[in-house]
C-alpha cells in the first residue's frame, strides 16, 4: 500500500500494479512478509517506503515535524540493522537528477540545515536506546555483538552472493533480473537517479562484503528491504517494454515464469523435499520447478555423477565383510563384524582397489550402513568417498553424505556411482569419514563393481 502511494507519483497505475504483483507473487518478499516475517526484512521494506514518502513530502513542505519523522525512521532502521544507517542518504540525495539539481539541492540543504540537524538528533535519540542497553549489559556505550563475524571490505563475494546455486539471490529470485536490467535505462531517464543509484550500489556492496554472504539460508534475503528502491528502475523497464507489442508479450511471459518459480520456491522452502540449502549446480538444475523428487536426486547435492539406468555387464572387483579386519575401527558383537566411524575414530582405513584390466564406464561402491542416531548438521555428516588415483596423485573424487539417507536405528544398503575418468588412473581408494559428529555410523559388506550403462 505504501509502495503504491510512492510509485504513483512517478509511474502509471498499470505499471505500479505490475510492480506490486511482481514483488508479492514473484520475489522472496512473499516469503519474508508472509512466512518468515519475524525476520527484519519486511519491516525494513515498510520503513523504506515510509522514508521515501516522507522525503517527498519534506521536499514539498520542509516542516520540522516531517524532519523529525525522517530522523525517527532512519534511527529505527539503524536500530534494527546497523548497516541501514545508509538510509540517511535518501533524504540527503533526493531530487538530484542533474548538475543543476545538485546546485539547487545544496541551496535547499543550507536553507533547511536546522531541520536536517533535527533529523540527525532524532535518529541518534532512537539509536541511543541500543547504546543504553549495551551500557547496561556490557558497561560499554558501543559493543560489537556479532563477535567473530564481520565484513571483508576488499573481497566482497559478489558472484557467490548473487549466483551461488545453494543460496544465490538471482538463482532463487530471478524476478529481480528485470529491475537489474532496468538500471541501464534508468541511468538515462530515471527520476531520483542519484539517491536510488548511490543507495543501491552501497547497499549491494555491504550485502556482499559480509563474510557470511550466504546469510544462513536460501534466496539472498538481505536484499528484500532494498526492493522499494529497485522499483524505480523496474518501473522504467516496464514502461519501455509495454510500449511495443512484442516486448509486452515477452514481459508477460517472463513475469509468469518468474512468478511460477517463486511460488514453487516458497512452497518447498517450508516443506521437506526438494529445496536444500547449499544445493550443488547439478542438484539445482535437476530439481528446478519440479514438484516431486526421489532419493537418487539427493545424491546430486554431493556427487557430480548419478547413474539412473540399469547396470549391465557388472563385474565385482572388490568385496570386504571385515571378518579379518584388525583396525581400531572394527567392532565384533557376537557373530557380527563391522567397522565404525565416530568422533574418536573419524575415518576408516583407505581400502585400495587396483584398476582391473577390463575397464567399464562406471564404478559403483556400496555398503550396509546403520546409525543409532541421525546427524542433522550437513557439515558434520559422515561421507562415503571414492577416489581415483594415478600413483599418489588424486585424479577424481566422488562422495555422498550417508546421513541424508539414514533413519535412526535403520540398517540399509547405500550405493554411490562414479563415472570413470578419462585421465590415467591405476587404483581406487574407498574410505568413510566422520567430520566432527558425535553420532556413530556402522558399516559392513563393502563392495565395488564396474558396469556399463
Amino acid at each position: 500500500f505504501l509502495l503504491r502511494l510512492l510509485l504513483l507519483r512517478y509511474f502509471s497505475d498499470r505499471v505500479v500494479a505490475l510492480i506490486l504483483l511482481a514483488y508479492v507473487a514473484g520475489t522472496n518478499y512473499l516469503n519474508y512478509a508472509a512466512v518468515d516475517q519475524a525476520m527484519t526484512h519486511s519491516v525494513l521494506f515498510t520503513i523504506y517506503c515510509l522514508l521515501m514518502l516522507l522525503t517527498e513530502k519534506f521536499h514539498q513542505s520542509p516542516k520540522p515535524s516531517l524532519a523529525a519523522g525522517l530522523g525517527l525512521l532512519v534511527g529505527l532502521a539503524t536500530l534494527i540493522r546497523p548497516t541501514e544507517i545508509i538510509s540517511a542518504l535518501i533524504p540527503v540525495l533526493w531530487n538530484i537528477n542533474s548538475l543543476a539539481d545538485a546546485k539547487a539541492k545544496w541551496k535547499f540543504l543550507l536553507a533547511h540545515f536546522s531541520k536536517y540537524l533535527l533529523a540527525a538528533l532524532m535518529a541518534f535519540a532512537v539509536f541511543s536506546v541500543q547504546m543504553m542497553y549495551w551500557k547496561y549489559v556490557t558497561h560499554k556505550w558501543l559493543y560489537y555483538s556479532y563477535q567473530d563475524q564481520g565484513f571483508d571490505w576488499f573481497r566482497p563475494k559478489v558472484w557467490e552472493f548473487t549466483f551461488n546455486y545453494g543460496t544465490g539471490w538471482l538463482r532463487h529470485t530471478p524476478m529481480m533480473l528485470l529491475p537489474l536490467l532496468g538500471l541501464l535505462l534508468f541511468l538515462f531517464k530515471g527520476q531520483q537517479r542519484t539517491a536510488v543509484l548511490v543507495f543501491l550500489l552501497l547497499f549491494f556492496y555491504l550485502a556482499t562484503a559480509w563474510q557470511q554472504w550466504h546469510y544462513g539460508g536460501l534466496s539472498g534475503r538481505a536484499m528484500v528491504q532494498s526492493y522499494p528502491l529497485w522499483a524505480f528502475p523496474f518501473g522504467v523497464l516496464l514502461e519501455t517494454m509495454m510500449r511495443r507489442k512484442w516486448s509486452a508479450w515477452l514481459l508477460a511471459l517472463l513475469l509468469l515464469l518468474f512468478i511460477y518459480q517463486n511460488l514453487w520456491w516458497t512452497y518447498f522452502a517450508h516443506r521437506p523435499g526438494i529445496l536444500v540449502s547449499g544445493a550443488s549446480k547439478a542438484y539445482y538444475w535437476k530439481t528446478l520447478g519440479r514438484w516431486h523428487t526421489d532419493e537418487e536426486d539427493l545424491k546430486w547435492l554431493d556427487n557430480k555423477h548419478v547413474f539412473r539406468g540399469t547396470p549391465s555387464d557388472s563385474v565385482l572387483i572388490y568385496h570386504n565383510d571385515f571378518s579379518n579386519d584388525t583396525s581400531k575401527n572394527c567392532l565384533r558383537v557376537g557373530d557380527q563384524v563391522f567397522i565404525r566411524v565416530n568422533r574418536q575414530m573419524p575415518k576408516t582405513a583407505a581400502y585400495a582397489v587396483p584398476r582391473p584390466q577390463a575397464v567399464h564406464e562406471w564404478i559403483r561402491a556400496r555398503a550396509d550402513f546403520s546409525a543409532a542416531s541421525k546427524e542433522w548438521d550437513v557439515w558434520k555428516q559422515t561421507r562415503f568417498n571414492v577416489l581415483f588415483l594415478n600413483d599418489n596423485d588424486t585424479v577424481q573424487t566422488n562422495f555422498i553424505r550417508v546421513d541424508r539417507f539414514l533413519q535412526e536405528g535403520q540398517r540399509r544398503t547405500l550405493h554411490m556411482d562414479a563415472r570413470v575418468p578419462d585421465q590415467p588412473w591405476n587404483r581406487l581408494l574407498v574410505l568413510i569419514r566422520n567430520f566432527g559428529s558425535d553420532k556413530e555410523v556402522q558399516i559392513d559388506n563393502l563392495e565395488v563393481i564396474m558396469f556399463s550403462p
Side-chain angles (χ1 to χ4, degrees):
F1 178 74
L2 293 172
L3 185 58
R4 181 175 184 272
L5 289 178
L6 172 69
L7 295 180
L8 284 175
R9 298 169 180 263
Y10 298 93
F11 304 105
S12 70
D13 189 52
R14 185 170 63 162
V15 167
V16 173
L18 280 178
I19 292 174
L20 299 183
L21 173 67
Y23 274 3
V24 173
T27 74
N28 52 348
Y29 172 80
L30 172 64
N31 178 69
Y32 292 104
V35 186
D36 288 329
Q37 72 272 41
M39 302 189 82
T40 63
H41 309 293
S42 65
V43 175
L44 288 166
F45 182 104
T46 305
I47 288 174
Y48 275 108
C49 292
L50 276 168
L51 180 63
M52 288 189 285
L53 276 170
L54 236 61
T55 299
E56 280 273 307
K57 290 186 177 182
F58 178 75
H59 282 79
Q60 294 168 1
S61 177
K63 299 177 182 178
S65 59
L66 293 174
L70 289 173
L72 187 150
L73 291 169
V74 170
L76 186 57
T78 308
L79 186 69
I80 293 170
R81 198 180 177 101
T83 51
E84 307 303 329
I85 194 172
I86 64 171
S87 61
L89 293 171
I90 294 172
V92 172
L93 299 176
W94 204 254
N95 276 356
I96 300 177
N97 293 301
S98 64
L99 184 59
D101 290 341
K103 293 178 181 177
K105 186 58 187 280
W106 177 248
K107 292 179 181 178
F108 182 87
L109 286 168
L110 292 177
H112 302 285
F113 178 77
S114 61
K115 299 181 182 72
Y116 276 95
L117 182 60
L118 173 63
L121 291 173
M122 180 62 75
F124 179 78
V126 174
F127 187 74
S128 68
V129 173
Q130 179 71 67
M131 296 175 65
M132 286 186 281
Y133 177 75
W134 280 335
K135 181 66 175 176
Y136 174 74
V137 174
T138 71
H139 307 294
K140 298 178 182 178
W141 287 107
L142 293 175
Y143 180 77
Y144 190 71
S145 57
Y146 282 92
Q147 298 181 6
D148 60 338
Q149 298 181 22
F151 293 91
D152 197 344
W153 298 113
F154 298 104
R155 290 187 297 177
K157 300 296 189 294
V158 174
W159 179 264
E160 294 90 339
F161 176 85
T162 309
F163 295 110
N164 176 268
Y165 283 97
T167 60
W169 174 42
L170 295 181
R171 292 283 182 199
H172 292 277
T173 311
M175 180 69 78
M176 294 308 294
L177 282 166
L178 296 177
L180 194 64
L181 290 172
L183 282 176
L184 300 174
L185 299 168
F186 184 71
L187 281 169
F188 300 100
K189 56 181 181 180
Q191 298 187 66
Q192 306 302 346
R193 285 195 296 274
T194 302
V196 170
L197 289 172
V198 170
F199 176 87
L200 289 180
L201 285 171
L202 187 55
F203 186 93
F204 186 73
Y205 171 67
L206 289 171
T208 56
W210 185 244
Q211 289 173 347
Q212 284 70 35
W213 52 266
H214 47 79
Y215 290 88
L218 300 159
S219 85
R221 62 182 174 86
M223 295 299 293
V224 170
Q225 60 262 36
S226 68
Y227 289 176
L229 287 100
W230 282 104
F232 285 84
F234 201 177
V236 173
L237 179 76
L238 295 179
E239 278 184 337
T240 304
M241 294 189 73
M242 290 166 67
R243 290 189 188 126
R244 295 175 178 82
K245 190 173 182 178
W246 71 269
S247 57
W249 279 107
L250 175 60
L251 174 63
L253 179 65
L254 290 173
L255 288 174
L256 287 172
L257 179 65
F258 294 153
I259 286 172
Y260 175 86
Q261 192 272 351
N262 186 67
L263 295 178
W264 171 86
W265 176 88
T266 307
Y267 178 79
F268 279 109
H270 300 282
R271 293 182 66 86
I274 294 174
L275 275 177
V276 181
S277 178
S280 64
K281 176 181 178 180
Y283 184 82
Y284 177 89
W285 289 113
K286 292 290 181 181
T287 59
L288 180 64
R290 288 172 54 186
W291 293 86
H292 301 284
T293 60
D294 58 29
E295 190 177 78
E296 286 298 298
D297 288 314
L298 288 176
K299 293 179 181 178
W300 290 109
L301 290 168
D302 305 313
N303 192 11
K304 53 192 171 185
H305 303 142
V306 176
F307 180 78
R308 281 189 163 274
T310 303
S312 64
D313 303 325
S314 60
V315 179
L316 180 67
I317 60 173
Y318 183 82
H319 174 77
N320 191 343
D321 62 6
F322 306 110
S323 57
N324 297 317
D325 197 294
T326 58
S327 69
K328 64 179 182 179
N329 297 79
C330 185
L331 183 64
R332 299 175 186 270
V333 181
D335 295 333
Q336 286 188 309
V337 182
F338 50 85
I339 57 171
R340 56 195 169 150
V341 289
N342 51 41
R343 182 174 286 175
Q344 289 71 38
M345 293 175 284
K347 63 181 179 179
T348 66
Y351 303 104
V353 184
R355 174 183 172 128
Q357 291 184 344
V359 176
H360 294 62
E361 190 175 341
W362 287 83
I363 289 283
R364 172 169 290 180
R366 61 193 178 204
D368 297 335
F369 291 89
S370 62
S373 299
K374 183 182 178 75
E375 176 58 69
W376 292 98
D377 185 343
V378 67
W379 302 110
K380 293 182 178 180
Q381 290 179 347
T382 295
R383 295 187 187 184
F384 184 21
N385 302 271
V386 171
L387 290 78
F388 292 82
L389 281 81
N390 191 37
D391 295 329
N392 292 321
D393 297 326
T394 302
V395 175
Q396 178 177 297
T397 301
N398 298 77
F399 73 89
I400 61 171
R401 291 179 169 92
V402 299
D403 296 270
R404 295 190 194 275
F405 310 96
L406 294 178
Q407 299 300 324
E408 294 187 354
Q410 179 191 48
R411 177 187 172 100
R412 61 175 305 193
T413 302
L414 299 177
H415 72 263
M416 176 187 58
D417 297 325
R419 190 186 292 274
V420 173
D422 295 329
Q423 301 97 309
W425 62 280
N426 53 27
R427 62 188 174 120
L428 293 172
L429 289 183
V430 181
L431 70 154
I432 297 94
R433 287 194 64 183
N434 172 292
F435 281 83
S437 171
D438 58 0
K439 311 294 193 300
E440 181 173 284
V441 174
Q442 298 172 353
I443 309 103
D444 196 7
N445 296 321
L446 175 62
E447 292 184 342
V448 180
I449 66 168
M450 295 198 82
F451 66 93
S452 301

